[in-house]
Amino acid sequence: MKIIIKKILVATVLLFSFTGCEDILEPQVFNQINASEFPQTEADILAALIPFYAQFNQNYGNNDPTRQVYTFNFNAHFLGYSWATSIQTDEAFDIFFFPESNFTFGPATYNTNSGLTFYDRISFVARMTGLIDIIEKSDIPNKELYIAETKALRAWFMYVLYDFYGPVSVRLDPTTLADETPLARPTKVEYVTAMVKDLEDAIEGLPEKYNGTPNWGRVSRGVARMLLLKVHMHEKNWLAAKEVGQDIINMGYALNASYKNVFSDAQNDEIIFAVPGNEGTGNIWFACIIPGDAKSVLGVDVTRGAKYKLNEMPWSFYDTYSSGDTRLETIASEYINNSNATIGRNNGLTGAIPMKYTNYVPSENEGFDLIMYRYSDVLLAMAEATNELDGPTGEAQGYLTLVTDRANTTANIPVGSFSSKESFRDFILAERGRELYWEFGIRRQDLIRNGSFISKAQARNLNARDHQVLFPIPANVIIEAGGVIEQNPGY
Amino acid sequence: MKMKINKSSLLFAMLLFSHLLFYGQTSPITGTVNDDQGMPLPGASIVVKGTTNGTTTDFDGNFSINASGSDILLVSYVGFSPKEITIGNKKSLIIKLESDAQALDEVVLVGYGVQLKKDVTGAVSTVKSEDLNTVNAVTIDNLLQGQAAGLNVTAGTAQPGGALNITIRGAISPNGDNSPLYVIDGLPISNNSSTEFNSAPEGFRGGFARSPLANINPNDIESVDILKDASATAIYGSAASNGVILITTKKGKAGRTTVNYSSTYSIQTAKDYLRPLNASEFRRGANDFGTEQFRANNQLAPYGNGNTPITNFTPFFSESQIANAGLGTNYIDFVIRDGSINDQNVSITSGNENTKIFTSFNFFEQKALLKGSNFKRLSGRINLDQKISSRINFSLGVSYNNTKSDNVATGQSNDIDSPSLLQSALQFAPDILPFDEIGNTTVGYYTRTPNPASYSKITNQNLSTRVILTPSLKINLSNALNLNIVGGIDNTSTERRFFVPVSANFLTVPEGNAQLGNSKLGNYSAETFLNFNNSYGDHRVSAVVGAGYYKNTFSDYGLEAIGFPTDIFGLDNIGIANNKLQSNVSSNRGVTRIKLSQFTRLNYTLKDKYILQFTGRFDASSNFPENNKVGFFPGISAGWIASEESFMKDITWLPELKFRAGYGTTGNESITANNIFGSSLYALTTDFSYLIGNQLSNSGFIQTQLGNPDLKWETNITINAGIDFALLKNKRITGSVDYFQRTAEDLLDFRTLPSSNANTVQVFNIGSTRSTGIEVSLRTENVITDNFSWSSLFTFGTARTFWVERNPGVELASYIGENDAINAVYGWRTDGLIRTADDIPDYQPNALVGNIKYVDLNEDGQLDIDDVTNLGDFSPRGSFGINNNITYKNFDLTFQIYGTYGNLTFDGFQTFAQPAILARQGAPTNVEANTLNVFTSFNPNGIYPGFAPDAAGNNNPTRVSDYRTVENSYFARLKNVNFGYSIPMDEVSFIQSARLFVNFDNLLFVTNSRGLDPEMERNNNPYPTALTSAIGISVQF
C-alpha cells in the first residue's frame, strides 16, 4: 500500500503541474546499452566482430534486429549461400526445385526484406567500415590486429557479394556512413582494387595461423591470403594468383594423409579456415542430405537426429569418380534403412549421399568444424594458374598429382589429360569438382570461371540463360535507388 | 511542458469557490427520499429551485438542507422522474420518486465519471450485462461481437483463451497497435498485459496470443461502455486513438442479500475440418504423384520432350501394398475429440447502508476439441463499498484469477518442419499405426513429421495468476463537488512449463528438452480527480479535472535444459540434464514505462437542450522520445436535443431527437509502449554468437535500432456527427446513426535508408491513413404484451480504411494507388489453369501444363509488373449484428447473428494442396484430401496448379494472384441461440427465480467464400471450430 500512497501523492501534485517530473520521465531501458559506452576493451571489439563471424554459422540464421528480418546464414544448408550455389551446379540436385536450382529466378524473386537474399550483407560491409573507423579512433591495445581482422572480414563479405552480384554499392568511406542518398555501383576495377587493398592490409596485420590455438575460428593471415587467391582466380589474374598461392604454400599447410580425416580431424594442417562447432552449436548439414528412413550411412549409425533429405549428389557426378578413389569413403551410394534393407541406386536411392563429414553428430543442435577453405584448393589453383600461364608443365602437373596421389587416382588420370592447355584445364575442373565437392560455393565459382556454368545447366535440361551467372539485384533495391543503382544485365 | 493546464485549473478553483459563497441563511429541513417500493435512495439530488443550494441523500436516503418554507425543492435521481416539492410548514419530508422506465438505461460511463445519456455528445455505445450472454464465454471480448456498431471483433484462433482482434472503426495504424484501451473499474489495462510466453522452443509453436481479458470472469461484468470518437476518448489522451472500452464490474447493493448460482455444462463437437487422405489414397497418391513429379523433373510428356524412360522411376509402394492398405488411421480423428465445458458461477450481492459487497466465484474448465489444449480458470472477486463517514466512501475491488492452459503446439509456422499437432495429424502417414507392438510411438516415412501420438507426452503449459486491486476513495467536498482518489494494481505472473521427454521420440529433440520460465507484468496507476456538478437556473455545468500516474513493468527469466538421462523427474528436477553446452539460462527486464497525465472534461448544458463539451488531456511519458515528451489531446463536441424544442413537442412519433457533432484528437502511444524508438540502442546478444577455439561461445554486440529523437506518437483526428432518436409515442424504437471520419497522422513508419547503409531502416513519423464509415444501431420493442414480448437490437457499421498520405521515401510500385485501401491486395489476374499446350499464352513462353494461366492485363505481350492490379481488400467493408430477445410466458429465446461482408478471401483449401510432399521420393507425407484436386497428367481436370515449375509465377512481382479468390465475400453466422424456461417459484419462498436453459454456439453460417469456416485461421493447420451445445440452470436465492 505504501507504494500506492506515494503514487497518489505524486498524482495529487500532478493536479497542478508536471514541473519537477523530468527525472521520472527519463527512458528506462534495462537490457540494452547506449553506444557512447562502447568500446572500452579488446573484448568489446571482439564482441562487435562476432555478428560478422556469426554469418558463417551452420544453423539456419538470425533475426537482424535493425531490420527485423530473419536472415539465413551463409552455411545454412537450407536456403544458405552454399546451398544456393551448389544446387546450381552438376554436383548437387535439389529435390525441392527452388528457383535457384531451376534457374527460374528473376529480380522479383528476391527482396532484401525477405531474408532469402544475400544482397543484404552489403549492410554488414558498412557496419565493418564503421567498426574500423571506431577502432582506429580508439586507444584499445592491439588495435592494429583488430583493424586487420575487420578488413579481412570486410573483404570476405565483399567477395561473397561480388561472386553473386558483381560489384555492388558498398560503403567503404566512414565519412559517408550516415549519407542517405543511394550509392551508385562502382566499376569492377574499383571494387576489386578495394578488396585487394583490404586483404593486403589484413595480410600485413594478422598472425600467421590459428590452427591448434584458442583463437581457432578467427581469420588469420592464411585466410586473408586464401581470400586474395580467390579474388585473383576470379579475375583470372593468374600471375598474381600464383604469387599469393606460393605465399600460402610457404606457410606450412600440408595435405592430410587421408581425405576422410581432413573432415574429421579438427584443426589439422590442411585446413585454412573452418567454422568451429561443438555440441552447443547447430548444423543442418546431415539433416539436409540423409534420407528420412536411414539407419546407417557409410557404416555410421544415423538413427538419431533429424533427417529430411533435401538434396543429393546426382549419379552422373558420382560416376566421375574412378573406383578406388579414397574420396568415395565420404560419399555413400547406398544406405541401410530402418527395415534393415540396403537401399541403393537400383532400388530407390535417387542420388548419392555426400556425407563429406563422417563424424556424424546426431542432432541439429550439435555442430562440427565446417571447413570453408583448405590447402588442396590452393594446390589445384596453382595447377590451374600455372596451366593458364605456361600450359600443362611439369610444375602444373606436380601440384595436381599431390592431390590425386592422396586420392589414389593418379594412375587413373585419362590419357591425354596433360596433352594440351585445354585438356588439362578440363581435367583440373573435373578434379576440383571431385576434390572440393560441396564446399563453400566453390563449384559454382569454378564453373563460372571456366565459362561452362550456364552450358552445363542447359545440358541438364534447365532453362538457364547466360546472364544468370550473376544473380539479379533484388527488385526493391533498384526501385528504392530510383535509377542510381543499375540492374545486372539481362534482368 | 510546464503549467499549461494550470490556468484552467485556477479558473475551475475560482468557480468552486464562488459556488461555496452561495450558501444562504435559512433553517434546516430534513427528509428521506424513497423509491416507489419504499426503499431509500442514497445519492439523490435535492436542490432549492432557482438557487445553487443543494445536497444529496445519504445511504439511508436521508438529507438535510437549509431552506425556507416558500422554497421549492427539486429532487432528482438517476433513473427516476424528477419531482418538485413545496416545503410549506414541514420540517421533515418523505419524498417518493417514481421510476422512469425509459430513463433507467440512460446513464453512460464516459471515463472519470458518468453522464446522463442525454448529455452525451460523443459516439458512445453501452452494452448492458443483460445483453451479454455469458454462457461458455471464456473472455469478455467474445461477447461483444455484434453488440455495438463500429466494433469489429474477429477471432484470431478458435483455441480456448485465444485473443480476439477487436478494432473500433477500422484498423488504420499499419505499423502500430490497433486494439482499443481497456479500462476495468478505472484501471487502464496496458496492451502488454496480453504478453504471455508465446515462444516456440525447438520450433514447438506455443500457440497463440492471449486476450488481455482472458483471466477476467465475464459473469462479473455489469456493463461495457465503448467510447468511439475522439471527442469522448480525448480524456484518455495518448492511449485512446483506437477507442476506449470501459468495463464496470458488478457492485454490492443495499437491501436483501441475493445469491445467484449458475451452472452450465456444454458439449463441443468439431465442425467441418480438413480431411487427410486415408491409407489407400495415400499410397496410391504417393506413387501417382511421385511418377508425376518424375515426369515434371525429367521433362517427360506432357511437360516436355524428355526421353528418360518412365520405368526409371521406382514407385514407393507396391501394388499389393496399395491394395491391402485399407483406410488406415485418420489422425485428425485421432487428435480431435468431442470437448466439454464445465462452467460454475456463484455470486452474492449484499449490503446495508454502510457496507455493500459483491462477491463472486467462477470455475471454468474446458476440455478442448484438440487434445492437449485444455483451459481452466478459477477466479474470485470481492467488490466492497464502505461508507466511512457521511462524506467519505471507500471502495475496493479485488479480483484473483488463476488460469491453466495447455498449449499443445498449434498454429502456423513458416518452417514447414516445425512441429504442430494438427500439421502432424494431417501429414503423418495414415498407413502406419500410432504405436508399435510394445507401445512406443512409431516413426513415419518422412521422419521429420512427428507422430501425432508423441504430443501427448509433451508438457506445454502456461500457469497464470493475475491479481487486480482497485482501491478508491471518494470524498464529497460539497454537494456539488467530490474528490476521487483511485488506485490500481494489476499483477500478472505466468509460469511456462515445457517438457519433451526422450520417450516422446521426437527426432528433432532426441535428448529431451525442458524449459521453465516465469514472466511478470505489472500495471500500476494512481489517479486523483475532482468531479463537479451543478445547475444554475437553465445552466447546468459538470466538470472533471484530474491527474494520473501510470507505470508498466515487465520482466521474465527462463531456464532451458537439454539431455535427459531419464524422463521420470519431468520438470521437477531439470538440473539432471547432462548436455550443459546446449542448456541455457536467460533473463530480461523490459522497458519500464511511466506516464504522467492531466485531464479534464467540461460539460455545459443550456436549458437541457444545448450541450457543449470540452475534453482534454496532457500526457508525458518516459517512452516518448526526447524531443516530444508531452502531448496534448483536446476534444470538443456539441449537442442539440431538438425534441426539447417547443416546435417538436407535437411530433408524437418522434419523442426524442438529438443531434451531436464532435471533433477531437487522440494519440496512439503503442508505437512507444514497449520500445524506446527514440534512442539508438545496442545489445550484447546470444542471437549472434560464434564459437572461437571450439570452446567459447561468444555473444555478439550489435546495434538493435537506429533511434529517432524526433519521433512521436501517432495522432488520430476524429470528426463525428450523429443523431440519436426515439420513434413512436412510447419510444418503441430507439437508435442512433453516426458518421465518422478518423484520420491518423504521423504514422509510425520505417524509413528505408539505402540498402548499402549499416542500418537500413529508421523509425519515423510519416504518412496518414483514414477510415470513414457510418454506424447504425437500432433497438426495437417489436411486441410488448403480457405474455409475449420481442425486442431486437440491430447494429451495422462500415469502415473504409485507406491511405491519405504515403511515405514519400518509399517509391510506390506502379500498381499501387496513392489512396488505396490499407489492406489492398495486389497481384496478377488469372484465367484458370493451362491444361493443354494449346492453352499456353505467348506471354508465358516457358509455361507448362498445370501452371496457372495469368492475364496479360495491358495486353503488351508480356507478363510483368504492369500487369499487377489491385485485387481487392482484405478488410471487410462492414459488419453487422442482429440480436433478438423473445419471451413467451415463462419461455425466453435469444439469438444472435453477426457477419461481415465485402472483403477479398482466398480459397481456404489452396494452401493445403501440397502435392510435392506427397510425392517426396522415399519419404512421402500425407496431405489434405483436396491435394487430389491438383492438375496432373492423369487428372487433367484438377483445379489446383500442378507439378511443373511455374516460371512466370516465380517472377510475379507480388507473388500473389487472384487464383480461386472471392472478391466480395460475405459471411453471416448464427453465433448463438439461447432458449430458456423460468420455473415458477411462487411456492418456494427461498428461491426468487430459477431458469433452465439450453444454449448453442456456432450453429451455422452462410458464406460465399471457398473453403471451410471463413473465420478459421487461414493457415496450414487452423484450430478446429466447434458447435457448442450447453444445458444449464441459473438460480437466484
Side-chain angles (χ1 to χ4, degrees):
Chain A
M1 226 32 216
K2 200 172 171 188
I3 191 158
I4 275 294
I5 291 167
K6 185 181 142 207
K7 280 168 193 160
I8 287 166
L9 283 174
V10 171
T12 311
V13 171
L14 277 173
L15 259 174
F16 303 100
S17 163
F18 280 156
T19 319
C21 298
E22 282 84 357
D23 282 355
I24 51 173
L25 289 174
E26 282 298 305
Q28 300 195 24
V29 192
F30 305 100
N31 53 6
Q32 297 179 75
I33 47 179
N34 201 304
S36 61
E37 292 146 29
F38 171 85
Q40 292 173 343
T41 62
E42 284 187 70
D44 286 351
I45 300 283
L46 189 59
L49 282 170
I50 294 300
F52 307 126
Y53 278 118
Q55 301 303 308
F56 295 101
N57 282 338
Q58 302 171 62
N59 51 6
Y60 289 92
N62 302 96
N63 195 48
D64 186 350
T66 46
R67 295 185 301 133
Q68 294 171 2
V69 174
Y70 192 90
T71 56
F72 287 88
N73 286 335
F74 290 141
N75 284 314
H77 291 275
F78 177 62
L79 303 173
Y81 170 94
S82 310
W83 165 276
T85 58
S86 272
I87 58 177
Q88 293 196 303
T89 70
D90 51 357
E91 70 176 357
F93 182 72
D94 156 30
I95 63 181
F96 265 80
F97 300 95
F98 278 79
E100 291 83 2
S101 57
N102 55 24
F103 289 84
T104 54
F105 54 87
T109 315
Y110 305 100
N111 180 310
T112 51
N113 296 321
S114 72
L116 288 175
T117 177
F118 295 94
Y119 187 85
D120 61 357
R121 299 309 202 287
I122 198 168
S123 287
F124 287 72
V125 174
R127 291 173 198 179
M128 285 187 263
T129 300
L131 181 63
I132 292 166
D133 190 48
I134 288 171
I135 305 171
E136 277 174 348
K137 289 173 179 160
S138 76
D139 303 319
I140 303 286
N142 285 323
K143 67 186 207 180
E144 291 74 19
L145 168 69
Y146 292 102
I147 291 168
E149 188 169 355
T150 315
K151 282 188 172 177
L153 280 169
R154 179 167 72 173
W156 199 345
F157 275 65
M158 284 174 71
Y159 176 64
V160 168
L161 288 164
Y162 184 58
D163 174 34
F164 258 36
Y165 305 103
V168 289
S169 343
V170 285
R171 288 209 189 268
L172 302 175
D173 177 356
T175 62
T176 67
L177 287 177
D179 284 3
E180 293 180 5
T181 46
L183 199 60
R185 300 177 68 174
T187 65
K188 201 170 168 171
V189 173
E190 286 167 347
Y191 193 89
V192 172
T193 309
M195 277 192 290
V196 171
K197 172 81 171 61
D198 266 358
L199 290 170
E200 284 173 347
D201 289 354
I203 290 165
E204 187 79 24
L206 285 171
E208 197 83 347
K209 290 196 242 177
Y210 285 132
N211 298 50
T213 76
N215 284 316
W216 180 243
R218 293 172 67 176
V219 291
S220 60
R221 180 176 295 155
V223 181
R225 283 199 170 125
M226 187 71 203
L227 290 165
L228 188 58
L229 173 65
K230 289 278 166 197
V231 172
H232 287 318
M233 291 296 287
H234 189 284
E235 292 306 294
K236 301 184 185 175
N237 293 332
W238 309 117
L239 210 56
K242 264 196 86 171
E243 200 177 310
V244 65
Q246 190 60 51
D247 287 343
I248 299 172
I249 288 171
N250 296 339
M251 290 178 82
Y253 292 106
L255 289 186
N256 195 306
S258 152
Y259 184 83
K260 184 177 168 180
N261 290 351
V262 175
F263 304 96
S264 49
D265 293 353
Q267 306 190 29
N268 66 69
D269 282 342
E270 184 167 338
I271 305 172
I272 296 175
F273 188 84
V275 183
N278 68 7
E279 286 136 61
T281 63
N283 95 85
I284 43 179
W285 174 276
F286 295 111
C288 285
I289 56 172
I290 297 180
D293 59 341
K295 183 177 172 186
S296 168
V297 180
L298 291 176
V300 180
D301 180 0
V302 296
T303 322
R304 292 178 71 203
K307 297 179 281 284
Y308 44 89
K309 180 172 156 181
L310 299 173
N311 51 4
E312 61 194 15
M313 176 183 280
W315 292 120
S316 56
F317 189 88
Y318 179 85
D319 291 340
T320 68
Y321 289 88
S322 53
S323 65
D325 191 327
T326 58
R327 293 174 294 213
L328 291 177
E329 291 170 13
T330 66
I331 306 171
S333 62
E334 57 186 30
Y335 68 98
I336 296 168
N337 73 6
N338 288 324
S339 321
N340 290 322
T342 300
I343 306 294
R345 61 199 297 178
N346 297 321
N347 60 347
L349 187 60
T350 51
I353 306 168
M355 290 288 278
K356 194 126 205 163
Y357 297 85
T358 50
N359 48 348
Y360 179 76
V361 294
S363 159
E364 287 180 319
N365 301 315
E366 295 174 28
F368 52 86
D369 279 17
L370 183 90
I371 295 172
M372 296 185 64
Y373 291 124
R374 59 192 178 88
Y375 187 55
S376 67
D377 186 0
V378 178
L379 294 172
L380 290 170
M382 287 297 279
E384 181 176 341
T386 309
N387 181 49
E388 295 299 333
L389 289 168
D390 311 321
T393 60
E395 182 196 358
Q397 293 180 30
Y399 295 125
L400 174 81
T401 47
L402 284 174
V403 174
T404 52
D405 283 351
R406 196 240 324 249
N408 191 29
T409 58
T410 308
N412 299 336
I413 295 174
V415 183
S417 297
F418 303 137
S419 63
S420 69
K421 186 187 263 191
E422 286 68 34
S423 56
F424 193 49
R425 181 189 291 145
D426 289 346
F427 184 77
I428 291 173
L429 183 69
E431 190 61 25
R432 283 182 67 86
R434 288 186 285 269
E435 172 70 19
L436 302 167
Y437 77 90
W438 286 52
E439 294 183 38
F440 189 66
I442 288 175
R443 186 66 180 158
R444 175 176 170 277
Q445 293 167 22
D446 287 352
L447 293 177
I448 291 174
R449 186 170 70 249
N450 182 261
S452 56
F453 176 64
I454 297 297
S455 58
K456 280 196 155 65
Q458 286 164 345
R460 299 196 304 277
N461 275 328
L462 293 168
N463 186 28
R465 284 144 293 159
D466 287 344
H467 62 268
Q468 287 177 312
V469 292
L470 291 180
F471 281 95
I473 308 281
N476 68 315
V477 174
I478 303 290
I479 294 170
E480 279 158 24
V484 175
I485 294 178
E486 277 179 44
Q487 183 54 278
N488 282 330
Y491 290 105
Chain B
M1 84 177 236
K2 289 173 194 169
M3 310 293 280
K4 278 187 188 153
I5 211 169
N6 290 359
K7 279 178 193 159
S8 54
S9 310
L10 198 63
L11 282 173
F12 184 68
M14 287 167 67
L15 185 67
L16 297 177
F17 187 64
S18 61
H19 154 75
L20 295 173
L21 291 178
F22 275 96
Y23 275 93
Q25 296 290 323
T26 40
S27 56
I29 308 288
T30 60
T32 308
V33 181
N34 292 329
D35 67 8
D36 38 12
Q37 309 286 317
M39 295 294 282
L41 290 173
S45 158
I46 297 102
V47 178
V48 179
K49 192 175 181 182
T51 74
T52 58
N53 178 15
T55 186
T56 54
T57 56
D58 65 15
F59 284 88
D60 294 328
N62 296 327
F63 68 92
S64 169
I65 191 165
N66 288 320
S68 65
S70 59
D71 285 340
I72 293 170
L73 295 183
L74 296 175
V75 185
S76 60
Y77 188 75
V78 168
F80 291 81
S81 302
K83 220 170 188 177
E84 295 192 4
I85 307 285
T86 311
I87 296 173
N89 299 327
K90 290 173 226 156
K91 289 288 174 198
S92 172
L93 299 163
I94 293 177
I95 301 161
K96 187 170 147 187
L97 293 183
E98 301 291 331
S99 84
D100 176 350
Q102 281 299 325
L104 263 179
D105 285 331
E106 303 201 345
V107 176
V108 178
L109 197 62
V110 288
Y112 308 106
V114 294
Q115 260 181 358
L116 291 173
K117 180 137 204 258
K118 63 178 184 176
D119 286 353
V120 170
T121 50
V124 179
S125 298
T126 299
V127 182
K128 291 286 176 193
S129 60
E130 304 90 85
D131 291 329
L132 298 173
N133 176 5
T134 56
V135 176
N136 292 328
V138 182
T139 57
I140 310 157
D141 37 13
N142 186 28
L143 304 178
L144 297 175
Q145 204 164 34
Q147 299 281 5
L151 184 78
N152 195 23
V153 181
T154 51
T157 169
Q159 190 154 349
L164 287 91
N165 300 317
I166 297 198
T167 55
I168 297 174
R169 296 185 159 180
I172 60 169
S173 177
N175 293 311
D177 189 16
N178 284 298
S179 55
L181 170 70
Y182 296 96
V183 179
I184 300 176
D185 289 335
L187 170 70
I189 301 295
S190 82
N191 290 324
N192 69 3
S193 301
S194 64
T195 309
E196 273 189 28
F197 283 97
N198 197 18
S199 62
E202 298 304 316
F204 284 86
R205 312 299 298 176
F208 50 90
R210 274 170 200 280
S211 165
L213 306 175
N215 39 20
I216 292 180
N217 176 6
N219 295 292
D220 290 346
I221 308 293
E222 174 69 32
S223 68
V224 178
D225 295 273
I226 300 155
L227 313 186
K228 296 189 283 197
D229 79 316
S231 70
T233 59
I235 196 148
Y236 285 103
S238 64
S241 69
N242 296 311
V244 181
I245 296 182
L246 302 166
I247 294 168
T248 311
T249 58
K250 290 173 180 163
K251 301 288 187 291
K253 290 189 181 108
R256 194 173 183 284
T257 298
T258 57
V259 178
N260 280 290
Y261 169 69
S262 67
S263 171
T264 314
Y265 184 79
S266 316
I267 302 283
Q268 292 198 298
T269 49
K271 304 279 274 189
D272 288 346
Y273 196 67
L274 307 164
R275 179 178 84 81
L277 299 181
N278 66 37
S280 55
E281 286 171 324
F282 166 73
R283 288 185 169 178
R284 164 68 58 201
N287 281 6
D288 290 351
F289 281 40
T291 316
E292 193 71 7
Q293 181 83 67
F294 185 83
R295 283 178 187 280
N297 295 353
N298 293 286
Q299 290 88 38
L300 304 185
Y303 304 108
N305 307 315
N307 51 13
T308 317
I310 191 76
T311 48
N312 280 10
F313 175 76
T314 317
F316 190 70
F317 295 106
S318 70
E319 280 305 315
S320 68
Q321 279 179 314
I322 295 170
N324 298 329
L327 293 177
T329 306
N330 181 331
Y331 281 95
I332 287 293
D333 290 347
F334 183 76
V335 301
I336 295 178
R337 57 185 175 185
D338 287 344
S340 64
I341 301 173
N342 181 0
D343 188 3
Q344 307 291 334
N345 197 72
V346 61
S347 66
I348 301 166
T349 310
S350 64
N352 57 36
E353 58 188 82
N354 291 322
T355 307
K356 295 171 192 162
I357 299 181
F358 170 84
T359 59
S360 74
F361 179 76
N362 174 254
F363 170 80
F364 183 100
E365 184 177 33
Q366 180 164 6
K367 181 185 147 203
L369 279 186
L370 183 67
K371 286 180 182 171
S373 58
N374 297 342
F375 181 84
K376 189 171 174 180
R377 178 180 61 214
L378 294 171
S379 67
R381 171 178 292 277
I382 301 172
N383 282 348
L384 165 78
D385 291 289
Q386 177 66 47
K387 182 173 166 183
I388 295 172
S389 74
S390 63
R391 290 191 177 276
I392 303 176
N393 287 299
F394 173 74
S395 46
L396 176 65
V398 179
S399 81
Y400 174 89
N401 302 274
N402 193 317
T403 60
K404 172 177 159 185
S405 36
D406 291 333
N407 304 323
V408 69
T410 60
Q412 172 71 331
S413 158
N414 291 326
D415 176 3
I416 54 162
D417 290 321
S418 264
S420 155
L421 177 54
L422 286 161
Q423 185 167 311
S424 297
L426 272 175
Q427 297 188 344
F428 194 78
D431 55 341
I432 296 178
L433 291 170
F435 303 100
D436 63 16
E437 304 79 24
I438 54 167
N440 288 331
T441 52
T442 51
V443 175
Y445 305 108
Y446 184 63
T447 51
R448 190 77 179 173
T449 299
N451 186 324
S454 300
Y455 289 86
S456 61
K457 301 196 173 179
I458 293 174
T459 305
N460 192 349
Q461 293 177 326
N462 284 348
L463 307 178
S464 182
T465 302
R466 183 174 191 176
V467 178
I468 301 178
L469 297 175
T470 47
S472 70
L473 200 60
K474 183 172 183 176
I475 303 165
N476 295 321
L477 298 175
S478 79
N479 295 318
L481 180 70
N482 53 48
L483 172 68
N484 296 273
I485 300 170
V486 180
I489 300 173
D490 170 16
N491 275 326
T492 307
S493 168
T494 304
E495 184 185 356
R496 172 69 187 256
R497 295 166 58 80
F498 176 79
F499 182 59
V500 184
V502 177
S503 62
N505 208 6
F506 261 85
L507 292 182
T508 50
V509 195
E511 301 174 84
N513 181 307
Q515 296 187 28
L516 282 175
N518 195 293
S519 74
K520 275 185 178 170
L521 278 163
N523 290 311
Y524 306 89
S525 71
E527 292 171 330
T528 303
F529 56 95
L530 292 160
N531 267 330
F532 175 80
N533 267 297
N534 214 342
S535 304
Y536 309 89
D538 286 338
H539 313 278
R540 197 142 48 79
V541 175
S542 70
V544 174
V545 167
Y549 170 97
Y550 311 87
K551 180 174 172 180
N552 310 105
T553 61
F554 171 79
S555 65
D556 65 19
Y557 64 82
L559 311 169
E560 179 180 17
I562 290 169
F564 283 83
T566 171
D567 292 340
I568 60 168
F569 297 111
L571 285 163
D572 300 328
N573 184 5
I574 69 171
I576 60 169
N578 52 28
N579 191 333
K580 302 301 179 195
L581 272 170
Q582 287 181 31
S583 298
N584 253 316
V585 292
S586 64
S587 77
N588 172 43
R589 180 175 172 194
V591 171
T592 292
R593 179 166 54 132
I594 290 174
K595 185 163 80 174
L596 304 177
S597 307
Q598 295 172 327
F599 47 85
T600 188
R601 179 174 54 237
L602 306 167
N603 187 301
Y604 169 74
T605 306
L606 176 64
K607 293 182 177 174
D608 277 341
K609 280 189 274 194
Y610 312 106
I611 309 156
L612 193 63
Q613 177 170 294
F614 171 80
T615 50
R617 183 167 179 128
F618 281 99
D619 276 332
S621 166
S622 64
N623 278 27
F624 288 169
E626 213 176 314
N627 299 342
N628 287 302
K629 273 281 179 221
V630 183
F632 177 58
F633 305 92
I636 189 156
S637 55
W640 174 40
I641 304 176
S643 49
E644 292 289 317
E645 298 287 356
S646 51
F647 60 82
M648 291 280 293
K649 294 283 186 201
D650 297 334
I651 309 175
T652 50
W653 58 271
L654 186 58
E656 273 180 27
L657 180 67
K658 182 165 97 179
F659 295 93
R660 295 177 275 109
Y663 167 89
T665 67
T666 49
N668 187 346
E669 67 180 1
S670 73
I671 63 162
T672 58
N674 300 311
N675 291 291
I676 296 193
F677 279 129
S679 320
S680 290
L681 293 174
Y682 298 77
L684 256 181
T685 166
T686 53
D687 285 351
F688 289 91
S689 58
Y690 183 74
L691 201 65
I692 291 177
N694 289 74
Q695 42 190 330
L696 290 170
S697 181
N698 296 271
S699 295
F701 181 86
I702 191 159
Q703 183 162 11
T704 49
Q705 67 182 31
L706 180 63
N708 176 359
D710 294 322
L711 193 72
K712 60 187 287 195
W713 49 90
E714 295 179 2
T715 300
N716 265 235
I717 300 160
T718 307
I719 297 168
N720 191 85
I723 303 170
D724 295 334
F725 56 85
L727 298 177
L728 306 182
K729 195 171 180 181
N730 46 8
K731 303 182 184 176
R732 292 269 287 265
I733 300 173
T734 55
S736 61
V737 178
D738 276 272
Y739 166 80
F740 68 89
Q741 185 196 76
R742 186 178 155 214
T743 307
E745 292 185 348
D746 293 330
L747 291 176
L748 171 83
D749 205 341
F750 293 90
R751 200 159 64 105
T752 307
L753 302 174
S755 51
S756 51
N757 284 23
N759 293 289
T760 54
V761 289
Q762 183 183 31
V763 67
F764 80 142
N765 301 104
I766 188 74
S768 170
T769 52
R770 181 171 291 160
S771 68
T772 60
I774 54 162
E775 285 158 7
V776 178
S777 145
L778 277 180
R779 201 177 269 281
T780 59
E781 305 288 340
N782 305 324
V783 180
I784 311 174
T785 67
D786 284 346
N787 280 334
F788 182 61
S789 72
W790 174 26
S791 64
S792 305
L793 170 67
F794 172 76
T795 61
F796 171 73
T798 67
R800 194 169 75 84
T801 60
F802 55 97
W803 285 94
V804 176
E805 184 200 340
R806 302 265 188 172
N807 180 354
V810 177
E811 190 147 332
L812 280 190
S814 52
Y815 49 81
I816 300 178
E818 190 67 28
N819 297 109
D820 281 1
I822 294 174
N823 289 315
V825 184
Y826 305 94
W828 283 344
R829 295 244 174 240
T830 58
D831 181 23
L833 290 184
I834 295 169
R835 297 186 185 278
T836 65
D838 295 342
D839 290 343
I840 296 174
D842 294 339
Y843 50 83
Q844 275 179 263
N846 300 318
L848 296 166
V849 291
N851 285 170
I852 292 176
K853 185 173 177 181
Y854 300 100
V855 176
D856 176 21
L857 212 58
N858 61 358
E859 298 183 335
D860 64 349
Q862 48 191 349
L863 271 179
D864 53 21
I865 195 166
D866 297 327
D867 299 306
V868 175
T869 186
N870 188 338
L871 299 176
D873 187 347
F874 271 144
S875 308
R877 255 178 238 154
S879 62
F880 61 91
I882 303 167
N883 298 352
N884 283 284
N885 290 291
I886 297 167
T887 59
Y888 174 71
K889 292 187 174 164
N890 283 347
F891 294 95
D892 60 87
L893 171 71
T894 63
F895 61 93
Q896 243 186 65
I897 298 164
Y898 82 98
T900 64
Y901 71 95
N903 52 317
L904 179 81
T905 312
F906 282 95
D907 180 340
F909 285 121
Q910 194 158 349
T911 53
F912 297 110
Q914 295 181 303
I917 65 170
L918 178 58
R920 181 156 35 204
Q921 185 56 26
T925 302
N926 203 12
V927 292
E928 209 277 333
N930 274 281
T931 306
L932 297 181
N933 282 327
V934 162
F935 174 93
T936 53
S937 57
F938 51 88
N939 182 17
N941 295 320
I943 54 173
Y944 296 113
F947 281 86
D950 185 350
N954 280 337
N955 271 316
N956 181 343
T958 63
R959 315 216 68 149
V960 174
S961 76
D962 73 348
Y963 192 67
R964 290 184 65 81
T965 59
V966 175
E967 245 167 90
N968 280 305
S969 67
Y970 62 80
F971 82 90
R973 183 188 304 280
L974 181 55
K975 178 180 160 68
N976 175 263
V977 175
N978 187 301
F979 180 67
Y981 174 68
S982 298
I983 305 163
M985 283 292 163
D986 300 340
E987 309 298 313
V988 190
S989 60
F990 64 94
I991 296 179
Q992 286 185 306
S993 65
R995 178 172 171 266
L996 277 171
F997 59 87
V998 288
N999 186 79
F1000 300 96
D1001 286 319
N1002 193 13
L1003 266 179
L1004 51 95
F1005 63 86
V1006 289
T1007 181
N1008 64 343
S1009 67
R1010 291 174 159 136
L1012 299 166
D1013 190 329
E1015 283 200 303
M1016 221 182 235
E1017 301 143 80
R1018 278 290 195 261
N1019 65 31
N1020 277 342
N1021 42 80
Y1023 198 92
T1025 53
L1027 164 66
T1028 309
S1029 315
I1031 182 161
I1033 185 166
S1034 66
V1035 185
Q1036 185 173 335
F1037 302 96

